[in-house]
Amino acid sequence: MRIKVKVQIYCGDAIAMGPGKAALLDAIGREGSISAAARALGMSYRRAWLLVDTMNRCFAEPLIATRPGGGADVTADGAAVLGAYRAMMAQVDGAAAAPGAIARRLRDAPVAPTG
């Protein structure tokens, strides 16, 4: 039995933070640019840029700052949001791993369809 929980934080109808955006923030911090982070994650630059733009529009302060001439950095607010998101995910993952009312009732695999 395995329980996987995906947490997404919304800003209106937009996903402000979720597992993909957290991975992108990590990659930008590691790679030092949006394009290198996109390549490392196997996504297009356009997709990565749209995710960065959404994050920056959803939070009071930008999570990613671009550098003149190229490159990008995770801001102090970006690091704080990412840290808080990771801490929340650790709590959720811990709760999902603990046996509970759902886990006790869950099959190991779906039963074959009838009919």
Side-chain angles (χ1 to χ4, degrees):
M1 181 222 24
R2 184 181 105 187
I3 297 176
K4 179 180 176 184
V5 179
K6 179 171 137 179
V7 174
Q8 295 176 317
I9 299 169
Y10 280 80
C11 169
D13 290 334
I15 299 170
M17 180 59 60
K21 287 185 172 96
L24 181 58
L25 279 174
D26 279 334
I28 291 169
R30 212 175 34 251
E31 303 293 333
S33 79
I34 296 169
S35 60
R39 280 192 301 276
L41 295 174
M43 72 172 65
S44 71
Y45 173 78
R46 177 170 168 68
R47 177 74 179 138
W49 176 253
L50 290 172
L51 294 175
V52 166
D53 184 56
T54 298
M55 285 187 282
N56 281 348
R57 287 185 298 107
C58 284
F59 287 92
E61 297 295 328
L63 303 190
I64 301 295
T66 56
R67 286 184 249 129
D73 298 300
V74 177
T75 65
D77 277 35
V81 167
L82 182 58
Y85 180 78
R86 295 283 189 221
M88 180 176 38
M89 286 306 306
Q91 289 180 333
V92 169
D93 288 342
I102 293 173
R104 285 193 305 272
R105 291 170 171 83
L106 189 64
R107 296 179 190 271
D108 288 333
V111 297
T114 58

